[in-house]
Amino acid sequence: MKRFIKFLSIALFMLISYSAFADTATAKHQEEDCNIYVIYNDTIVPGEALFVRMTIQVPKSHKKNKNLDTTATLHLYQKQKVIQHAAFYATGKSKKANSKEYLCGIPLSTWLTDNEYSLKVSFSINEGEKKEFTLPVKFKMYEYNKETIHLDEKNTSTITDNSPERAAQIKKLNAILYAVNSENVFSLKPMSKPNPSTRITSYFGDRRIYAYSNGKSSTSEHYGNDYGVPTGSEVRACADGKVVLSEWRNTTGYTVVIEHLPGLYSLYYHNSELKVKEGDTVKAGDLVAKSGATGLATGPHIHWEMRLNAAAVRPDFFLQNFTFEGINYQ
């Protein structure tokens, strides 16, 4: 009997329960010297994201772990291959002295199909032994639209621009979107649309064929939602954050990029005016631009885009409580 009890004290132990929120699961992982509480959205939807919020708690008697210096990584597997991974970062919201809270999100490609997926968390506390546990996930298909966009001579010239200037702009934006600043936790709340308009002229994930004025064509994927509004309409920040880019770009016109969480950015394209500058901090709802049709655009609109670890994610995903803020999951 004693041997059995000892085995239980060091074995991995997982309890799974489901909350009242759709596609949200909670889990408890138990080690000999700590408990880990997890809440996450457990459904893989192509083009959306998986977010995991995790609290690591140790008994007060374990003095060696009182600082809870934890490193943890989230891995998404397709069969035996890791297709996405990202590091957890501290939310800064520790409710107890012997616990610490972490968050991590990974983007999901719009091209994912039903397959054998698994989600794993690997972690180490105070440079101790590396351990891991698995979180169950399921798959839900999402079909994206197809559209053909006919471009005039001006837009054909814009989309086929191979100038060094445009190449430098692409390089600069990519450097921003790939940056993960683990200390920059500006907002954990659900986001809001940049404008109250309900008229969406093009959706995230649309499979596009661009028909050029010279008879040629190319294919592309739309990375955001386009809201059909008149030139000069207000463009507002979808959440608290820091402006990391506010300038003209050949393809996207007057452009604003805001950092909200480590690796999470919102982008606003084709504006007629910029109302913020790089380095500004903004609150949700602050005016950041006025809408327009600059750059590659066939008419005035607001292009709202969300990037997570540089990959585009369906913006509507972030309108819900994607960080599980305020939910008691322990």
Side-chain angles (χ1 to χ4, degrees):
M1 183 66 175
K2 289 182 179 179
R3 291 178 61 192
F4 179 64
I5 293 174
K6 183 178 180 181
F7 172 77
L8 283 180
S9 69
I10 63 174
L12 299 182
F13 180 63
M14 181 69 70
L15 293 175
I16 299 292
S17 63
Y18 290 87
S19 75
F21 293 84
D23 302 323
T24 302
T26 59
K28 177 184 176 183
H29 175 80
Q30 183 174 316
E31 291 283 346
E32 183 179 15
D33 57 355
C34 73
N35 291 325
I36 300 177
Y37 301 91
V38 172
I39 184 167
Y40 67 108
N41 54 304
D42 67 340
T43 303
I44 293 174
V45 181
E48 295 195 350
L50 289 174
F51 269 80
V52 176
R53 192 157 177 165
M54 175 173 71
T55 296
I56 298 180
Q57 189 175 85
V58 299
K60 294 179 181 179
S61 58
H62 285 260
K63 295 181 180 180
K64 66 177 183 179
N65 287 339
K66 66 179 181 179
N67 292 325
L68 282 174
D69 184 12
T70 302
T71 57
T73 305
L74 185 64
H75 306 266
L76 178 63
Y77 285 81
Q78 183 176 323
K79 295 183 178 180
Q80 303 301 315
K81 180 182 179 182
V82 177
I83 59 173
Q84 282 289 349
H85 71 280
F88 282 84
Y89 49 87
T91 65
K93 290 197 167 188
S94 299
K95 297 179 181 179
K96 301 177 182 178
N98 62 327
S99 70
K100 231 174 190 179
E101 192 172 75
Y102 299 87
L103 185 68
C104 183
I106 52 176
L108 302 170
S109 168
T110 61
W111 300 98
L112 290 181
T113 57
D114 198 356
N115 215 310
E116 297 176 23
Y117 298 103
S118 59
L119 191 63
K120 293 184 180 180
V121 176
S122 61
F123 66 97
S124 175
I125 300 176
N126 296 337
E127 299 183 348
E129 178 186 354
K130 185 177 180 180
K131 301 176 182 180
E132 68 176 27
F133 58 89
T134 300
L135 298 170
V137 290
K138 55 194 177 187
F139 181 85
K140 181 180 179 181
M141 193 61 200
Y142 190 95
E143 295 288 343
Y144 289 97
N145 299 325
K146 297 179 181 179
E147 63 177 352
T148 298
I149 298 179
H150 296 274
L151 302 180
D152 59 17
E153 187 175 348
K154 171 184 172 295
N155 280 320
T156 295
S157 177
T158 299
I159 199 172
T160 57
D161 177 10
N162 293 317
S163 67
E165 180 184 21
R166 186 188 178 204
Q169 292 170 355
I170 293 172
K171 183 178 180 180
K172 179 178 180 179
L173 180 59
N174 284 341
I176 291 171
L177 299 180
Y178 276 98
V180 179
N181 307 301
S182 61
E183 302 296 321
N184 291 358
V185 178
F186 295 104
S187 176
L188 295 168
K189 298 178 181 178
M191 296 184 175
S192 55
K193 297 190 305 179
N195 186 281
S197 173
T198 58
R199 180 174 173 252
I200 298 182
T201 56
S202 190
Y203 289 87
F204 168 84
D206 284 353
R207 284 37 169 141
R208 286 181 163 181
I209 297 175
Y210 286 111
Y212 301 164
S213 61
N214 58 14
K216 297 181 180 181
S217 65
S218 66
T219 59
S220 182
E221 181 180 354
H222 193 228
Y223 288 152
N225 283 345
D226 287 349
Y227 297 91
V229 295
T231 295
S233 298
E234 293 180 339
V235 181
R236 297 190 173 274
C238 64
D240 296 359
K242 179 182 178 181
V243 178
V244 291
L245 188 143
S246 180
E247 64 184 29
W248 169 270
R249 301 180 73 249
N250 291 10
T251 305
T252 58
Y254 287 111
T255 299
V256 175
V257 180
I258 302 173
E259 180 183 23
H260 303 287
L261 287 171
L264 182 62
Y265 300 86
S266 62
L267 302 87
Y268 313 82
Y269 288 168
H270 310 299
N271 301 294
S272 60
E273 298 179 55
L274 300 174
K275 294 297 184 180
V276 289
K277 63 183 184 300
E278 186 176 328
D280 287 350
T281 56
V282 295
K283 294 293 185 181
D286 281 355
L287 182 68
V288 298
K290 291 290 187 74
S291 67
T294 57
L296 179 62
T298 58
H301 67 283
I302 297 171
H303 173 98
W304 176 39
E305 188 172 316
M306 295 297 305
R307 294 289 189 108
L308 175 61
N309 301 338
V313 175
R314 192 165 72 92
D316 302 87
F317 172 83
F318 297 97
L319 299 177
Q320 60 189 325
N321 190 7
F322 67 98
T323 68
F324 315 104
E325 179 73 351
I327 300 176
N328 183 12
Y329 55 99
Q330 296 185 35

